Amino acid sequence: MLSWTNERIMIVVAHPDDEVLGMGASIHRMIQEYGCTIEVVILGEGITSRADQRDPAHWQKELAEHKQHIESARKILGYQAVHIHNFPDNRFDGIELLDLIKVVEQEKRRFRPGIIFTHHGGDTNIDHRRTFEAVVTAIRPMEEEEVHSLFCFEIPSSTEWQAFHAPMPWQPNFFFSVSEENLEAKIQAMEQYSHEKRPFPHPRSPQGLRTLAMRQGVRVGLPLAEAFLLVRHIEK
């Protein structure tokens, strides 16, 4: 049976803020209650797609601020470490998938997690979909593989905006109860991302995040919850 106590958990995301939006409240609970060791891997720089041409030099100030926001959010949620890479924002489809896989494999060998959380493979955002593909490939269930569980999370303003007839619909099958304190930590962590937060009724607004936690909770008889898709669990 899956136990969270003292687990080593790696969270692989495409952009800064995805770790908060996807499972910020659960991270907070896993740290506070279960003593998990959690590290976040951020593959993309997350901002340069807002210009017609990618020019990181033009966004130097904002990219530096982004890194400060990541650290501020990390301290609020309480997880141990973050590792930031520099793949181009919303251009993962222009990168060889193998390049993404190699980074995930490298981070996995370094940290040796038992559980990985990442994006849903059917998200609207191309970077999210490619991240999922890279993670699934990097943790093929061979005899020596140490990752025993793979979960996907939803990203408000991406997962639910996919077309209804998309080939890989979001159908969560695992719900993690969170407290008001956990949810507030998520909301405060998201507030650190000044370039990403939005006012209500945007899904990334504080009220939007609270509404989503309530909605996922009442689906399974809980006041508040975050929803996940369990892709694979291997009990040895």
Side-chain angles (χ1 to χ4, degrees):
M1 297 292 292
L2 179 62
S3 171
W4 299 101
T5 303
N6 298 325
E7 271 287 1
R8 297 178 67 81
I9 299 172
M10 189 167 81
I11 301 167
V12 184
V13 299
H15 314 111
D17 86 349
D18 287 339
E19 78 285 2
V20 178
L21 292 171
M23 55 180 299
S26 296
I27 291 173
H28 190 262
R29 182 185 173 196
M30 289 170 181
I31 294 290
Q32 296 290 321
E33 293 189 27
Y34 295 103
C36 296
T37 300
I38 299 178
E39 295 196 2
V40 172
V41 176
I42 302 176
L43 296 177
E45 32 85 347
I47 204 167
T48 60
S49 66
R50 299 175 192 190
D52 292 337
Q53 301 293 326
R54 184 177 188 246
D55 183 5
H58 176 75
W59 295 95
Q60 190 171 6
K61 176 176 177 291
E62 288 83 358
L63 289 170
E65 290 174 346
H66 237 15
K67 290 185 177 180
Q68 294 173 357
H69 300 161
I70 294 168
E71 181 59 18
S72 296
R74 185 197 68 78
K75 290 179 179 177
I76 291 171
L77 296 181
Y79 66 88
Q80 283 77 7
V82 60
H83 304 272
I84 306 167
H85 298 270
N86 198 38
F87 288 106
D89 182 42
N90 274 287
R91 292 183 169 92
F92 283 20
D93 53 336
I95 298 168
E96 295 287 344
L97 180 60
L98 183 59
D99 292 340
L100 296 170
I101 294 169
K102 291 294 186 183
V103 169
V104 177
E105 289 178 334
Q106 174 188 340
E107 295 286 4
K108 185 189 68 168
R109 284 194 299 270
R110 175 193 55 76
F111 181 52
R112 300 183 65 182
I115 300 173
I116 290 183
F117 285 83
T118 193
H119 293 282
H120 180 240
D123 269 16
T124 307
N125 189 288
I126 183 60
D127 293 358
H128 297 177
R129 299 200 299 272
R130 295 284 280 182
T131 299
F132 171 80
E133 292 173 0
V135 170
V136 168
T137 307
I139 62 165
R140 295 182 293 269
M142 302 175 72
E143 185 177 1
E144 69 276 10
E145 179 57 61
E146 295 182 85
V147 175
H148 56 74
S149 301
L150 173 62
F151 291 86
C152 294
F153 45 67
E154 61 181 329
I155 299 295
S157 74
S158 177
T159 310
E160 80 277 25
W161 286 356
Q162 182 57 280
F164 76 94
H165 63 295
M168 192 182 295
W170 168 246
Q171 295 180 336
N173 58 11
F174 189 94
F175 295 82
F176 200 76
S177 177
V178 296
S179 67
E180 180 64 38
E181 179 185 358
N182 302 146
L183 178 58
E184 186 59 30
K186 174 177 182 167
I187 291 171
Q188 290 306 311
M190 189 60 205
E191 286 294 292
Q192 306 309 302
Y193 283 106
S194 60
H195 299 301
E196 307 296 342
K197 64 181 183 178
R198 299 288 185 272
F200 186 78
H202 196 280
R204 281 184 254 157
S205 65
Q207 189 172 346
L209 296 177
R210 178 173 296 279
T211 300
L212 179 60
M214 293 173 64
R215 177 178 181 272
Q216 299 296 17
V218 299
R219 291 179 67 179
V220 291
L222 297 169
L224 301 168
E226 288 183 320
F228 301 93
L229 175 63
L230 174 57
V231 178
R232 182 166 66 234
H233 172 68
I234 302 170
E235 192 72 33
K236 294 184 179 180

mmCIF file of all heavy atoms in Angstrom, residues 183-217:
data_model
loop_
_atom_site.group_PDB
_atom_site.id
_atom_site.type_symbol
_atom_site.label_atom_id
_atom_site.label_comp_id
_atom_site.label_asym_id
_atom_site.label_seq_id
_atom_site.Cartn_x
_atom_site.Cartn_y
_atom_site.Cartn_z
ATOM 1 N N LEU A 183 -4.362 25.001 2.069
ATOM 2 C CA LEU A 183 -4.869 25.789 0.943
ATOM 3 C C LEU A 183 -4.380 27.228 1.019
ATOM 4 O O LEU A 183 -4.008 27.823 0.002
ATOM 5 C CB LEU A 183 -6.399 25.748 0.916
ATOM 6 C CG LEU A 183 -7.066 26.577 -0.183
ATOM 7 C CD1 LEU A 183 -6.605 26.147 -1.570
ATOM 8 C CD2 LEU A 183 -8.587 26.500 -0.058
ATOM 9 N N GLU A 184 -4.352 27.787 2.205
ATOM 10 C CA GLU A 184 -3.882 29.162 2.352
ATOM 11 C C GLU A 184 -2.406 29.274 1.963
ATOM 12 O O GLU A 184 -1.986 30.269 1.365
ATOM 13 C CB GLU A 184 -4.087 29.640 3.791
ATOM 14 C CG GLU A 184 -3.763 31.105 4.021
ATOM 15 C CD GLU A 184 -4.582 32.050 3.161
ATOM 16 O OE1 GLU A 184 -5.738 31.730 2.810
ATOM 17 O OE2 GLU A 184 -4.056 33.143 2.833
ATOM 18 N N ALA A 185 -1.619 28.252 2.293
ATOM 19 C CA ALA A 185 -0.214 28.250 1.878
ATOM 20 C C ALA A 185 -0.103 28.247 0.355
ATOM 21 O O ALA A 185 0.741 28.955 -0.217
ATOM 22 C CB ALA A 185 0.503 27.036 2.472
ATOM 23 N N LYS A 186 -0.954 27.464 -0.301
ATOM 24 C CA LYS A 186 -0.960 27.438 -1.765
ATOM 25 C C LYS A 186 -1.306 28.813 -2.332
ATOM 26 O O LYS A 186 -0.634 29.306 -3.260
ATOM 27 C CB LYS A 186 -1.969 26.392 -2.260
ATOM 28 C CG LYS A 186 -2.166 26.378 -3.770
ATOM 29 C CD LYS A 186 -3.109 25.272 -4.196
ATOM 30 C CE LYS A 186 -3.276 25.224 -5.711
ATOM 31 N NZ LYS A 186 -3.938 23.985 -6.173
ATOM 32 N N ILE A 187 -2.327 29.417 -1.789
ATOM 33 C CA ILE A 187 -2.759 30.728 -2.281
ATOM 34 C C ILE A 187 -1.668 31.773 -2.066
ATOM 35 O O ILE A 187 -1.362 32.579 -2.966
ATOM 36 C CB ILE A 187 -4.074 31.143 -1.595
ATOM 37 C CG1 ILE A 187 -5.222 30.248 -2.086
ATOM 38 C CG2 ILE A 187 -4.391 32.609 -1.855
ATOM 39 C CD1 ILE A 187 -6.515 30.414 -1.322
ATOM 40 N N GLN A 188 -1.049 31.762 -0.895
ATOM 41 C CA GLN A 188 0.011 32.725 -0.618
ATOM 42 C C GLN A 188 1.239 32.465 -1.484
ATOM 43 O O GLN A 188 1.920 33.414 -1.913
ATOM 44 C CB GLN A 188 0.382 32.684 0.869
ATOM 45 C CG GLN A 188 -0.694 33.250 1.782
ATOM 46 C CD GLN A 188 -1.099 34.666 1.382
ATOM 47 O OE1 GLN A 188 -0.247 35.537 1.164
ATOM 48 N NE2 GLN A 188 -2.401 34.903 1.302
ATOM 49 N N ALA A 189 1.543 31.209 -1.753
ATOM 50 C CA ALA A 189 2.664 30.891 -2.643
ATOM 51 C C ALA A 189 2.390 31.399 -4.052
ATOM 52 O O ALA A 189 3.273 31.957 -4.715
ATOM 53 C CB ALA A 189 2.922 29.382 -2.651
ATOM 54 N N MET A 190 1.155 31.232 -4.526
ATOM 55 C CA MET A 190 0.809 31.721 -5.857
ATOM 56 C C MET A 190 0.866 33.235 -5.929
ATOM 57 O O MET A 190 1.226 33.811 -6.968
ATOM 58 C CB MET A 190 -0.589 31.208 -6.252
ATOM 59 C CG MET A 190 -0.941 31.499 -7.707
ATOM 60 S SD MET A 190 0.210 30.730 -8.859
ATOM 61 C CE MET A 190 0.030 31.807 -10.290
ATOM 62 N N GLU A 191 0.553 33.893 -4.840
ATOM 63 C CA GLU A 191 0.604 35.362 -4.799
ATOM 64 C C GLU A 191 2.025 35.880 -4.986
ATOM 65 O O GLU A 191 2.218 37.043 -5.347
ATOM 66 C CB GLU A 191 0.020 35.866 -3.481
ATOM 67 C CG GLU A 191 -1.492 35.779 -3.398
ATOM 68 C CD GLU A 191 -2.168 36.707 -4.396
ATOM 69 O OE1 GLU A 191 -2.076 37.936 -4.225
ATOM 70 O OE2 GLU A 191 -2.773 36.202 -5.357
ATOM 71 N N GLN A 192 3.035 35.038 -4.759
ATOM 72 C CA GLN A 192 4.423 35.462 -4.958
ATOM 73 C C GLN A 192 4.747 35.640 -6.441
ATOM 74 O O GLN A 192 5.649 36.394 -6.798
ATOM 75 C CB GLN A 192 5.385 34.442 -4.345
ATOM 76 C CG GLN A 192 5.122 34.125 -2.881
ATOM 77 C CD GLN A 192 5.017 35.364 -2.023
ATOM 78 O OE1 GLN A 192 5.954 36.175 -1.965
ATOM 79 N NE2 GLN A 192 3.888 35.498 -1.336
ATOM 80 N N TYR A 193 4.000 34.949 -7.288
ATOM 81 C CA TYR A 193 4.256 34.994 -8.730
ATOM 82 C C TYR A 193 3.513 36.179 -9.355
ATOM 83 O O TYR A 193 2.460 36.024 -9.968
ATOM 84 C CB TYR A 193 3.814 33.685 -9.381
ATOM 85 C CG TYR A 193 4.767 32.531 -9.178
ATOM 86 C CD1 TYR A 193 4.466 31.502 -8.293
ATOM 87 C CD2 TYR A 193 5.969 32.463 -9.875
ATOM 88 C CE1 TYR A 193 5.339 30.430 -8.108
ATOM 89 C CE2 TYR A 193 6.848 31.398 -9.698
ATOM 90 C CZ TYR A 193 6.525 30.394 -8.818
ATOM 91 O OH TYR A 193 7.395 29.342 -8.647
ATOM 92 N N SER A 194 4.090 37.338 -9.230
ATOM 93 C CA SER A 194 3.401 38.554 -9.680
ATOM 94 C C SER A 194 3.178 38.569 -11.192
ATOM 95 O O SER A 194 2.240 39.227 -11.669
ATOM 96 C CB SER A 194 4.190 39.792 -9.255
ATOM 97 O OG SER A 194 5.491 39.786 -9.815
ATOM 98 N N HIS A 195 4.008 37.852 -11.946
ATOM 99 C CA HIS A 195 3.838 37.818 -13.401
ATOM 100 C C HIS A 195 2.777 36.817 -13.834
ATOM 101 O O HIS A 195 2.367 36.823 -15.000
ATOM 102 C CB HIS A 195 5.162 37.468 -14.084
ATOM 103 C CG HIS A 195 6.265 38.444 -13.829
ATOM 104 N ND1 HIS A 195 6.171 39.782 -14.155
ATOM 105 C CD2 HIS A 195 7.495 38.282 -13.268
ATOM 106 C CE1 HIS A 195 7.294 40.400 -13.814
ATOM 107 N NE2 HIS A 195 8.106 39.513 -13.261
ATOM 108 N N GLU A 196 2.339 35.964 -12.930
ATOM 109 C CA GLU A 196 1.435 34.876 -13.297
ATOM 110 C C GLU A 196 0.059 34.959 -12.654
ATOM 111 O O GLU A 196 -0.910 34.433 -13.201
ATOM 112 C CB GLU A 196 2.072 33.531 -12.922
ATOM 113 C CG GLU A 196 3.468 33.309 -13.466
ATOM 114 C CD GLU A 196 3.506 33.247 -14.978
ATOM 115 O OE1 GLU A 196 2.438 33.038 -15.603
ATOM 116 O OE2 GLU A 196 4.594 33.407 -15.554
ATOM 117 N N LYS A 197 -0.056 35.568 -11.500
ATOM 118 C CA LYS A 197 -1.346 35.607 -10.809
ATOM 119 C C LYS A 197 -2.327 36.492 -11.573
ATOM 120 O O LYS A 197 -1.928 37.408 -12.304
ATOM 121 C CB LYS A 197 -1.171 36.097 -9.380
ATOM 122 C CG LYS A 197 -0.673 37.532 -9.248
ATOM 123 C CD LYS A 197 -0.501 37.920 -7.796
ATOM 124 C CE LYS A 197 -0.072 39.377 -7.638
ATOM 125 N NZ LYS A 197 0.046 39.765 -6.225
ATOM 126 N N ARG A 198 -3.595 36.215 -11.398
ATOM 127 C CA ARG A 198 -4.647 36.927 -12.123
ATOM 128 C C ARG A 198 -5.801 37.224 -11.173
ATOM 129 O O ARG A 198 -6.031 36.502 -10.195
ATOM 130 C CB ARG A 198 -5.165 36.079 -13.292
ATOM 131 C CG ARG A 198 -4.113 35.730 -14.355
ATOM 132 C CD ARG A 198 -3.743 36.936 -15.192
ATOM 133 N NE ARG A 198 -2.838 36.560 -16.272
ATOM 134 C CZ ARG A 198 -1.511 36.520 -16.180
ATOM 135 N NH1 ARG A 198 -0.931 36.806 -15.016
ATOM 136 N NH2 ARG A 198 -0.774 36.182 -17.212
ATOM 137 N N PRO A 199 -6.600 38.267 -11.481
ATOM 138 C CA PRO A 199 -7.767 38.567 -10.642
ATOM 139 C C PRO A 199 -8.936 37.638 -10.967
ATOM 140 O O PRO A 199 -9.002 37.052 -12.053
ATOM 141 C CB PRO A 199 -8.095 40.018 -11.008
ATOM 142 C CG PRO A 199 -7.613 40.162 -12.425
ATOM 143 C CD PRO A 199 -6.389 39.304 -12.526
ATOM 144 N N PHE A 200 -9.841 37.486 -10.004
ATOM 145 C CA PHE A 200 -11.061 36.728 -10.210
ATOM 146 C C PHE A 200 -11.855 37.355 -11.354
ATOM 147 O O PHE A 200 -11.885 38.578 -11.486
ATOM 148 C CB PHE A 200 -11.896 36.759 -8.918
ATOM 149 C CG PHE A 200 -13.119 35.899 -8.963
ATOM 150 C CD1 PHE A 200 -13.025 34.529 -8.800
ATOM 151 C CD2 PHE A 200 -14.358 36.467 -9.183
ATOM 152 C CE1 PHE A 200 -14.156 33.733 -8.841
ATOM 153 C CE2 PHE A 200 -15.498 35.675 -9.238
ATOM 154 C CZ PHE A 200 -15.391 34.308 -9.059
ATOM 155 N N PRO A 201 -12.480 36.557 -12.246
ATOM 156 C CA PRO A 201 -12.753 35.125 -12.123
ATOM 157 C C PRO A 201 -11.736 34.209 -12.803
ATOM 158 O O PRO A 201 -12.085 33.077 -13.172
ATOM 159 C CB PRO A 201 -14.113 34.992 -12.793
ATOM 160 C CG PRO A 201 -14.062 36.001 -13.898
ATOM 161 C CD PRO A 201 -13.288 37.166 -13.333
ATOM 162 N N HIS A 202 -10.520 34.655 -12.983
ATOM 163 C CA HIS A 202 -9.515 33.765 -13.575
ATOM 164 C C HIS A 202 -9.257 32.580 -12.635
ATOM 165 O O HIS A 202 -9.240 32.752 -11.413
ATOM 166 C CB HIS A 202 -8.214 34.532 -13.822
ATOM 167 C CG HIS A 202 -7.279 33.833 -14.753
ATOM 168 N ND1 HIS A 202 -6.464 32.807 -14.343
ATOM 169 C CD2 HIS A 202 -7.030 34.005 -16.076
ATOM 170 C CE1 HIS A 202 -5.745 32.377 -15.373
ATOM 171 N NE2 HIS A 202 -6.069 33.082 -16.433
ATOM 172 N N PRO A 203 -9.041 31.384 -13.198
ATOM 173 C CA PRO A 203 -8.819 30.206 -12.344
ATOM 174 C C PRO A 203 -7.607 30.315 -11.430
ATOM 175 O O PRO A 203 -7.536 29.620 -10.411
ATOM 176 C CB PRO A 203 -8.633 29.068 -13.363
ATOM 177 C CG PRO A 203 -9.324 29.538 -14.599
ATOM 178 C CD PRO A 203 -9.135 31.021 -14.624
ATOM 179 N N ARG A 204 -6.632 31.178 -11.788
ATOM 180 C CA ARG A 204 -5.429 31.301 -10.962
ATOM 181 C C ARG A 204 -5.580 32.322 -9.839
ATOM 182 O O ARG A 204 -4.642 32.537 -9.072
ATOM 183 C CB ARG A 204 -4.226 31.685 -11.834
ATOM 184 C CG ARG A 204 -3.632 30.528 -12.596
ATOM 185 C CD ARG A 204 -2.389 30.975 -13.343
ATOM 186 N NE ARG A 204 -2.624 31.092 -14.766
ATOM 187 C CZ ARG A 204 -1.906 31.852 -15.582
ATOM 188 N NH1 ARG A 204 -0.935 32.596 -15.107
ATOM 189 N NH2 ARG A 204 -2.171 31.873 -16.873
ATOM 190 N N SER A 205 -6.703 32.967 -9.753
ATOM 191 C CA SER A 205 -6.940 33.936 -8.685
ATOM 192 C C SER A 205 -7.104 33.207 -7.353
ATOM 193 O O SER A 205 -7.405 32.008 -7.317
ATOM 194 C CB SER A 205 -8.207 34.737 -8.980
ATOM 195 O OG SER A 205 -9.353 33.896 -8.951
ATOM 196 N N PRO A 206 -6.910 33.891 -6.229
ATOM 197 C CA PRO A 206 -7.125 33.242 -4.933
ATOM 198 C C PRO A 206 -8.511 32.601 -4.814
ATOM 199 O O PRO A 206 -8.630 31.461 -4.343
ATOM 200 C CB PRO A 206 -6.933 34.384 -3.936
ATOM 201 C CG PRO A 206 -5.967 35.309 -4.616
ATOM 202 C CD PRO A 206 -6.346 35.254 -6.071
ATOM 203 N N GLN A 207 -9.538 33.324 -5.247
ATOM 204 C CA GLN A 207 -10.883 32.769 -5.166
ATOM 205 C C GLN A 207 -11.048 31.590 -6.115
ATOM 206 O O GLN A 207 -11.739 30.608 -5.805
ATOM 207 C CB GLN A 207 -11.926 33.840 -5.481
ATOM 208 C CG GLN A 207 -13.356 33.402 -5.208
ATOM 209 C CD GLN A 207 -14.353 34.540 -5.351
ATOM 210 O OE1 GLN A 207 -13.974 35.721 -5.395
ATOM 211 N NE2 GLN A 207 -15.628 34.197 -5.439
ATOM 212 N N GLY A 208 -10.387 31.660 -7.279
ATOM 213 C CA GLY A 208 -10.448 30.553 -8.224
ATOM 214 C C GLY A 208 -9.809 29.292 -7.662
ATOM 215 O O GLY A 208 -10.340 28.190 -7.809
ATOM 216 N N LEU A 209 -8.658 29.453 -7.002
ATOM 217 C CA LEU A 209 -7.985 28.299 -6.405
ATOM 218 C C LEU A 209 -8.807 27.707 -5.262
ATOM 219 O O LEU A 209 -8.878 26.482 -5.102
ATOM 220 C CB LEU A 209 -6.599 28.700 -5.906
ATOM 221 C CG LEU A 209 -5.606 29.158 -6.975
ATOM 222 C CD1 LEU A 209 -4.292 29.588 -6.341
ATOM 223 C CD2 LEU A 209 -5.366 28.063 -8.016
ATOM 224 N N ARG A 210 -9.424 28.561 -4.484
ATOM 225 C CA ARG A 210 -10.273 28.078 -3.392
ATOM 226 C C ARG A 210 -11.500 27.336 -3.947
ATOM 227 O O ARG A 210 -11.879 26.279 -3.433
ATOM 228 C CB ARG A 210 -10.711 29.253 -2.513
ATOM 229 C CG ARG A 210 -11.637 28.861 -1.360
ATOM 230 C CD ARG A 210 -11.896 30.028 -0.443
ATOM 231 N NE ARG A 210 -10.656 30.444 0.203
ATOM 232 C CZ ARG A 210 -10.134 29.838 1.259
ATOM 233 N NH1 ARG A 210 -10.744 28.785 1.794
ATOM 234 N NH2 ARG A 210 -9.011 30.263 1.778
ATOM 235 N N THR A 211 -12.102 27.888 -4.980
ATOM 236 C CA THR A 211 -13.272 27.251 -5.584
ATOM 237 C C THR A 211 -12.928 25.870 -6.122
ATOM 238 O O THR A 211 -13.688 24.908 -5.952
ATOM 239 C CB THR A 211 -13.829 28.140 -6.708
ATOM 240 O OG1 THR A 211 -14.217 29.415 -6.163
ATOM 241 C CG2 THR A 211 -15.031 27.488 -7.376
ATOM 242 N N LEU A 212 -11.756 25.759 -6.763
ATOM 243 C CA LEU A 212 -11.344 24.464 -7.298
ATOM 244 C C LEU A 212 -11.130 23.447 -6.175
ATOM 245 O O LEU A 212 -11.564 22.291 -6.282
ATOM 246 C CB LEU A 212 -10.062 24.617 -8.111
ATOM 247 C CG LEU A 212 -9.494 23.327 -8.714
ATOM 248 C CD1 LEU A 212 -10.489 22.682 -9.668
ATOM 249 C CD2 LEU A 212 -8.174 23.607 -9.435
ATOM 250 N N ALA A 213 -10.485 23.869 -5.081
ATOM 251 C CA ALA A 213 -10.259 22.956 -3.952
ATOM 252 C C ALA A 213 -11.583 22.503 -3.339
ATOM 253 O O ALA A 213 -11.734 21.344 -2.935
ATOM 254 C CB ALA A 213 -9.384 23.628 -2.902
ATOM 255 N N MET A 214 -12.549 23.407 -3.275
ATOM 256 C CA MET A 214 -13.869 23.033 -2.757
ATOM 257 C C MET A 214 -14.568 22.075 -3.716
ATOM 258 O O MET A 214 -15.169 21.088 -3.287
ATOM 259 C CB MET A 214 -14.705 24.295 -2.537
ATOM 260 C CG MET A 214 -14.182 25.200 -1.425
ATOM 261 S SD MET A 214 -15.087 26.778 -1.323
ATOM 262 C CE MET A 214 -16.721 26.184 -0.867
ATOM 263 N N ARG A 215 -14.495 22.377 -4.999
ATOM 264 C CA ARG A 215 -15.158 21.514 -5.992
ATOM 265 C C ARG A 215 -14.584 20.109 -5.959
ATOM 266 O O ARG A 215 -15.336 19.119 -5.955
ATOM 267 C CB ARG A 215 -14.996 22.103 -7.388
ATOM 268 C CG ARG A 215 -15.594 21.225 -8.495
ATOM 269 C CD ARG A 215 -15.459 21.868 -9.861
ATOM 270 N NE ARG A 215 -16.056 21.044 -10.890
ATOM 271 C CZ ARG A 215 -15.408 20.077 -11.554
ATOM 272 N NH1 ARG A 215 -14.138 19.844 -11.277
ATOM 273 N NH2 ARG A 215 -16.021 19.370 -12.480
ATOM 274 N N GLN A 216 -13.253 19.990 -5.941
ATOM 275 C CA GLN A 216 -12.662 18.655 -5.922
ATOM 276 C C GLN A 216 -12.943 17.944 -4.602
ATOM 277 O O GLN A 216 -13.088 16.719 -4.570
ATOM 278 C CB GLN A 216 -11.149 18.737 -6.180
ATOM 279 C CG GLN A 216 -10.769 19.325 -7.537
ATOM 280 C CD GLN A 216 -11.249 18.475 -8.707
ATOM 281 O OE1 GLN A 216 -12.121 17.620 -8.584
ATOM 282 N NE2 GLN A 216 -10.675 18.714 -9.871
ATOM 283 N N GLY A 217 -13.036 18.706 -3.526
ATOM 284 C CA GLY A 217 -13.373 18.109 -2.246
ATOM 285 C C GLY A 217 -14.769 17.529 -2.217
ATOM 286 O O GLY A 217 -14.963 16.362 -1.823
#
